[in-house]
Amino acid sequence: QLQFVESGGGLVQPGGSLRLSCAASGFTLDRYAIGWFRQAPGKGREGVSCISQSGKPKYVDSVKGRFTLFRDNAKNTVYLQIDSLKPEDTAVYYCAGDRNPFPDYCTLDPRNRRYDFWGQGTQVTVSS
């Protein structure tokens, strides 16, 4: 089955850190831009970060300076390092792949129809 598998979520205190992983299963992700999205209870899905095929990351303003996205194509995995966690970061985090034709392009829009292979998500809960 072709999909991404997210892991690394958990319960952390405000100010803590987590590293989320997005591993490709059944295919290689080097030709995909990868997006990370989150969905909090009662809210829509929000794009938080994405990384192009060439490795250029993009972040939504609310996470700039706290989230770092990088890819390790040799491990067929993309990592989202989350620091200085806030309660408002609580959500289920998902990743997906966009096989777009532009090596330097990625989008934070979860409605992008090219995003595929959505995983089951990993829960991040920030609470004291």
Side-chain angles (χ1 to χ4, degrees), residues 56-107:
K56 293 185 177 181
K58 184 185 299 182
Y59 305 94
V60 69
D61 286 347
S62 61
V63 308
K64 285 180 180 177
R66 301 189 298 118
F67 287 26
T68 304
L69 183 59
F70 57 99
R71 59 194 302 154
D72 186 339
N73 289 340
K75 294 184 177 180
N76 218 25
T77 302
V78 171
Y79 300 95
L80 182 65
Q81 177 68 36
I82 308 176
D83 299 316
S84 303
L85 276 159
K86 303 177 180 180
E88 52 263 42
D89 294 321
T90 296
V92 178
Y93 284 69
Y94 303 88
C95 63
D98 172 9
R99 193 167 180 175
N100 72 73
F102 309 108
D104 295 331
Y105 174 80
C106 70
T107 177

